[in-house]
Amino acid sequence: MSTTSLRLATESDLQVINEIYNYYVLRSTCTYQIDPESMEDRLAWFRDHPPDKYPVLVATNEEEIVGWGSLSRWRPRAAMAPTVEVTVYIRHDMHRQGIGKLILDDLIERARRLGFHSVIGSVSADQMASIALQESLGFQRVAHLSQVAFKFGNWLDLLYLQLKLNAEVS
């Protein structure tokens, strides 16, 4: 049985990160992006994620990347700096093996250690497994936005879930 481990992502991981993400762009409502992410845009995104502020993690099984997650600035306004948004994507053939929980647990702890006060998860309302995972780790539903996206011929609702970390803000 292989063991999943986590590490900080490097630029050399971006091709696989992008492949995992773009699989869902083309097939799922778990992202509202319509067109595949380019490598140029992925690199710019990665460079906007310094590991000491907005880490990007990869999950590996025997050195093979099977998922990734990140903390990102939630909104650009300075007063919202104590809040981050969490993102987790698991390779499509590796679901239901605890990888998402492993990544999300680690990112929550990193957010806490980095001094963030709150973590936001934004989830399409039809993504029940993602919602259940976040709620199992203490996230609370705080907003339900109706019909804010249109993908694959359907209107989609967006949920915001929040986990307050009770971190001190300096």
Side-chain angles (χ1 to χ4, degrees):
M1 180 174 180
S2 62
T3 301
T4 303
S5 60
L6 300 177
R7 64 171 171 79
L8 289 171
T10 65
E11 279 190 24
S12 65
D13 299 323
L14 294 181
Q15 180 68 40
V16 177
I17 286 171
N18 223 26
E19 288 170 6
I20 291 169
Y21 180 73
N22 283 335
Y23 177 89
Y24 294 105
V25 169
L26 298 173
R27 294 170 179 85
S28 176
T29 58
C30 68
T31 175
Y32 289 169
Q33 187 163 331
I34 301 289
D35 297 316
E37 185 83 355
S38 71
M39 281 304 298
E40 180 180 293
D41 287 343
R42 179 61 63 193
L43 180 59
W45 167 86
F46 185 72
R47 290 182 175 162
D48 196 36
H49 284 77
D52 61 338
K53 186 69 171 176
Y54 303 114
V56 178
L57 304 178
V58 291
T60 61
N61 276 349
E62 299 176 9
E63 304 303 316
E64 183 179 23
I65 296 173
V66 294
W68 65 273
S70 65
L71 295 177
S72 301
R73 175 180 295 150
W74 185 57
R75 294 283 186 262
R77 301 285 184 233
M80 294 184 181
T83 298
V84 287
E85 184 170 7
V86 67
T87 300
V88 175
Y89 284 92
I90 307 305
R91 202 174 73 192
H92 71 279
D93 60 341
M94 298 296 292
H95 287 201
R96 305 196 70 73
Q97 297 183 36
I99 300 167
K101 182 179 185 309
L102 182 70
I103 295 170
L104 188 53
D105 270 335
D106 189 279
L107 287 169
I108 291 167
E109 186 53 37
R110 285 175 190 267
R112 188 174 277 115
R113 285 194 317 262
L114 289 167
F116 290 108
H117 178 73
S118 190
V119 179
I120 300 292
S122 58
V123 184
S124 187
D126 64 339
Q127 296 293 317
M128 300 310 295
S130 295
I131 295 165
L133 172 60
Q134 289 186 31
E135 289 180 333
S136 77
L137 295 175
F139 284 76
Q140 301 291 315
R141 295 181 196 207
V142 294
H144 184 135
L145 307 177
S146 179
Q147 298 184 359
V148 295
F150 190 79
K151 189 173 181 181
F152 304 135
N154 296 301
W155 284 106
L156 302 167
D157 292 2
L158 177 66
L159 294 181
Y160 280 112
L161 293 95
Q162 179 181 23
L163 178 66
K164 292 180 187 169
L165 302 172
N166 298 318
E168 292 297 318
V169 177
S170 54

